[in-house]
Amino acid sequence: MKTITNIYKWCAHPHHLFFITIAALLLPNIALCVTEQLGVAASLANVLLPAGIYWMAMTLSRKPGKPIWGLFLFIFFAAFQIVLLYLFGKGIIAVDMFLNLVTTNPGEAMELLDNLVPGVAFVFIVYLPILILGVVSIRGKKTTTKTFVHNQRIIGGALTAAGLLSLSAAYITDDDYRAELDLYPANVIYNIYLAGERTYQTNHYAETSKGFSFKAKKETAYDGREIYVIVVGETARACEFSIYGYNRPTTPLMQRERGLVAFSNVMSQSNTTHKSVPMLLSAASATDYDRIYREKGIIEAFKEAGFHTTFISNQLPNHSFIDFFGEEADDWTFIKEHSKEGANTPDEEMLTILNKVLAKNRKRELIVLHCYGSHFNYRERYPRSEAFFRPDDASEAKASNRQQLVNAYDNSIRQTDRLLHDIIAALRKTGAVAAMLYTSDHGENIFDDDRKLFLHASPTPSYYELHVPLIAWVSESYDRLYPGIHATLVANRHKPVASSASFFHSMLGLAGISTPYRADSLNISSGKLHSAPRRYLNDHNKAMPLDKTGLSKKDLEMIGNVGKKH
């Protein structure tokens, strides 16, 4: 007890608190020099310039607590950055991270934080005591001396000058260096600005897309019943589907389905839900993402072509483009809104609504299902009675738990297999001309290699986040009405496809809906499908070649090997 008291007194001393605060604020700067592999000049600028500014800021009051709380936002950034480095191993706080803060529901966030104990505990141990000691400093009588403040201002000025010289050297020695991208926390502040700009554009979507029309029409004059179903999965990576050769039976039901075609060489253009799903549900892609602010989604195209439309989501609304496109449907529901707060709602509950819609016996129907799929915490995505792979109880984000995490994840894929099987069974039962198209928004990291990456949405993507399943199914009656389409799907099943770019065009093609916005070069049911260069939508919404995204050599090799397997 005496030792703790002595430590407290030492830390609370104004002079000591001054240096402790600066050291804690510089932890992310030092770490990022290593994780981002910055050059010598860039590393010096990344440490010296912020150090000088923090140093000067801490001299603004002889009570260190006042500048500590004045720097609260930067303390928050530091804590946030440390947790992200713990989780992803590299990358600054991205624009998408700030957008995730406002589009992730509280239950989902707590489910994640509960299992990031080491990283969260570290930032609490480091930064919370500083804030508490700051309050003690403000209320107490102890202050730094005038001589101390004078000397520290000289040191702070010298560090700032050295940092500015290093910054100039970084620009001279590296043509790609940009302070708004490479200097922490300037890059974080820039990302906040971009996040605000995107939020503004998103909030004004109703105005900027007003009056838009696809000019969509049905190509055929078929008088019978037609039903098309879009299933948007969550966090499903193709390498865990046995239908693609995975050595565990995760998709036994799909593998027996007649009329089903699994596309093997498919990459998502984003590892974040709030960008990937809107691209799946619209004509926007990585190369022309900004059109998302001006155009409506695929549901509107089906409505124009005379279809009744229904949107069913097992995720909470979050005022994003997913909501906007979903709410363009004739009928829409977010089933989690009607569940007890914090309760786990299995994707199978969407089947009840699906069957009610099918029972209406409408002539032309589009149904969109947005799943919760394999989102972490994996073991919450399926009933305990369906735990095929065991043990699956460990959920803390630690590499030592990998096997149990994989067991739980694979169990969640089996639930997706059952869901798709049941959807197909329901469609087949109607006897209608029917087709279903399924893909996932992105994949997932599960401590797969020595990088020890976990989850998704990392600033730098990995193979495991990008390689996703894409599955098409057509009924026997569909095959009779549209002869040759199933054969074309089979012929195209191993061609390289960007799911985010192709999904919109493929669904319109399957349904026989023509519009000037449909591109059959991206349509998996068309003989005109061709392989365009793959692009990734980076954090600043720029379409990047995969070898310019930060993907490791191993990632690029695995992506290349997917195409070589066939």
Side-chain angles (χ1 to χ4, degrees), residues 223-366:
D223 290 330
R225 189 181 183 194
E226 290 187 75
I227 308 169
Y228 298 94
V229 175
I230 291 172
V231 185
V232 178
E234 172 70 56
T235 321
R237 61 189 205 175
C239 61
E240 227 83 358
F241 278 53
S242 55
I243 201 169
Y244 295 122
Y246 183 48
N247 60 7
R248 302 177 102 182
T250 53
T251 57
L253 298 175
M254 275 192 281
Q255 286 170 246
R256 297 197 296 267
E257 285 290 355
R258 300 187 312 278
L260 186 143
V261 183
F263 287 74
S264 61
N265 194 359
V266 181
M267 301 293 156
S268 175
Q269 293 186 322
S270 174
N271 63 355
T272 63
T273 298
H274 75 267
K275 287 198 292 198
S276 182
V277 174
M279 284 193 284
L280 294 172
L281 298 180
S282 73
S285 68
T287 54
D288 55 3
Y289 185 75
D290 283 350
R291 69 193 294 179
I292 204 166
Y293 300 109
R294 306 185 303 271
E295 300 178 5
K296 295 185 178 181
I298 193 170
I299 288 173
E300 182 65 26
F302 271 81
K303 286 171 67 177
E304 289 180 16
F307 283 77
H308 180 273
T309 57
T310 303
F311 179 78
I312 309 166
S313 175
N314 192 23
Q315 303 208 19
L316 283 169
N318 53 23
H319 198 65
S320 70
F321 278 98
I322 302 171
D323 299 359
F324 301 157
F325 292 153
E327 290 171 8
E328 288 171 357
D330 296 300
D331 301 309
W332 49 268
T333 183
F334 296 85
I335 62 177
K336 282 188 183 293
E337 282 191 307
H338 310 294
S339 303
K340 182 190 293 186
E341 187 175 351
N344 178 46
T345 309
D347 286 337
E348 286 70 22
E349 290 198 18
M350 294 190 292
L351 287 169
T352 302
I353 303 173
L354 171 73
N355 285 319
K356 288 180 179 178
V357 173
L358 295 178
K360 299 287 186 181
N361 203 32
R362 283 182 278 253
K363 186 175 178 180
R364 290 180 178 173
E365 194 85 64
L366 170 72

Side-chain angles (χ1 to χ4, degrees), residues 108-184:
E108 184 178 308
M110 288 307 300
E111 199 172 63
L112 172 59
L113 291 175
D114 283 347
N115 294 283
L116 293 176
V117 175
V120 174
F122 177 81
V123 299
F124 269 98
I125 290 170
V126 172
Y127 296 104
L128 187 59
I130 291 173
L131 293 173
I132 293 172
L133 289 172
V135 173
V136 173
S137 170
I138 293 170
R139 293 183 175 181
K141 295 180 180 180
K142 292 183 178 181
T143 64
T144 54
T145 65
K146 290 182 179 180
T147 302
F148 177 87
V149 170
H150 175 73
N151 291 339
Q152 302 314 312
R153 283 178 180 165
I154 294 173
I155 294 172
L159 288 169
T160 302
L164 289 172
L165 287 172
S166 300
L167 183 64
S168 299
Y171 272 101
I172 293 170
T173 58
D174 186 351
D175 292 338
D176 294 328
Y177 183 85
R178 296 289 182 274
E180 69 271 22
L181 303 179
D182 302 305
L183 178 65
Y184 176 90

Side-chain angles (χ1 to χ4, degrees), residues 192-496:
I192 289 177
Y193 163 75
L194 292 179
E197 185 177 63
R198 288 187 207 168
T199 300
Y200 176 85
Q201 291 175 304
T202 300
N203 290 340
H204 287 76
Y205 167 73
E207 300 166 27
T208 54
S209 65
K210 187 177 181 180
F212 175 82
S213 172
F214 284 104
K215 299 179 176 60
K217 296 179 181 178
K218 193 75 170 72
E219 292 173 332
T220 57
Y222 178 61
D223 290 330
R225 189 181 183 194
E226 290 187 75
I227 308 169
Y228 298 94
V229 175
I230 291 172
V231 185
V232 178
E234 172 70 56
T235 321
R237 61 189 205 175
C239 61
E240 227 83 358
F241 278 53
S242 55
I243 201 169
Y244 295 122
Y246 183 48
N247 60 7
R248 302 177 102 182
T250 53
T251 57
L253 298 175
M254 275 192 281
Q255 286 170 246
R256 297 197 296 267
E257 285 290 355
R258 300 187 312 278
L260 186 143
V261 183
F263 287 74
S264 61
N265 194 359
V266 181
M267 301 293 156
S268 175
Q269 293 186 322
S270 174
N271 63 355
T272 63
T273 298
H274 75 267
K275 287 198 292 198
S276 182
V277 174
M279 284 193 284
L280 294 172
L281 298 180
S282 73
S285 68
T287 54
D288 55 3
Y289 185 75
D290 283 350
R291 69 193 294 179
I292 204 166
Y293 300 109
R294 306 185 303 271
E295 300 178 5
K296 295 185 178 181
I298 193 170
I299 288 173
E300 182 65 26
F302 271 81
K303 286 171 67 177
E304 289 180 16
F307 283 77
H308 180 273
T309 57
T310 303
F311 179 78
I312 309 166
S313 175
N314 192 23
Q315 303 208 19
L316 283 169
N318 53 23
H319 198 65
S320 70
F321 278 98
I322 302 171
D323 299 359
F324 301 157
F325 292 153
E327 290 171 8
E328 288 171 357
D330 296 300
D331 301 309
W332 49 268
T333 183
F334 296 85
I335 62 177
K336 282 188 183 293
E337 282 191 307
H338 310 294
S339 303
K340 182 190 293 186
E341 187 175 351
N344 178 46
T345 309
D347 286 337
E348 286 70 22
E349 290 198 18
M350 294 190 292
L351 287 169
T352 302
I353 303 173
L354 171 73
N355 285 319
K356 288 180 179 178
V357 173
L358 295 178
K360 299 287 186 181
N361 203 32
R362 283 182 278 253
K363 186 175 178 180
R364 290 180 178 173
E365 194 85 64
L366 170 72
I367 305 166
V368 180
L369 306 176
H370 185 201
C371 306
Y372 208 50
S374 298
H375 200 289
F376 187 78
N377 186 353
Y378 315 130
R379 66 178 182 176
E380 299 297 328
R381 306 286 85 87
Y382 53 90
R384 300 310 301 152
S385 60
E386 296 295 326
F388 186 85
F389 302 107
R390 292 178 180 269
D392 63 338
D393 295 319
S395 60
E396 188 176 340
K398 297 192 301 185
S400 58
N401 288 336
R402 183 178 189 274
Q403 189 54 61
Q404 291 203 47
L405 291 169
V406 168
N407 286 344
Y409 183 85
D410 288 354
N411 287 333
S412 74
I413 298 297
R414 284 179 64 90
Q415 287 302 111
T416 295
D417 178 60
R418 182 175 298 279
L419 175 71
L420 296 178
H421 166 77
D422 290 346
I423 291 170
I424 290 170
L427 292 174
R428 186 176 279 130
K429 187 177 179 181
T430 66
V433 168
M436 180 197 76
L437 195 59
Y438 163 83
T439 194
S440 180
D441 51 359
H442 49 71
E444 184 85 323
N445 296 299
I446 318 176
F447 300 111
D448 299 285
D449 50 42
D450 55 9
R451 292 174 294 180
K452 294 182 171 55
L453 301 178
F454 189 53
L455 302 181
H456 58 270
S458 56
T460 302
S462 73
Y463 155 80
Y464 300 100
E465 292 173 274
L466 299 186
H467 187 198
V468 293
L470 175 61
I471 294 168
W473 171 84
V474 297
S475 66
E476 292 85 346
S477 52
Y478 179 98
D479 203 21
R480 288 192 295 271
L481 180 64
Y482 300 110
I485 295 293
H486 182 263
T488 302
L489 290 169
V490 172
N492 288 336
R493 71 189 186 281
H494 298 313
K495 290 184 178 179

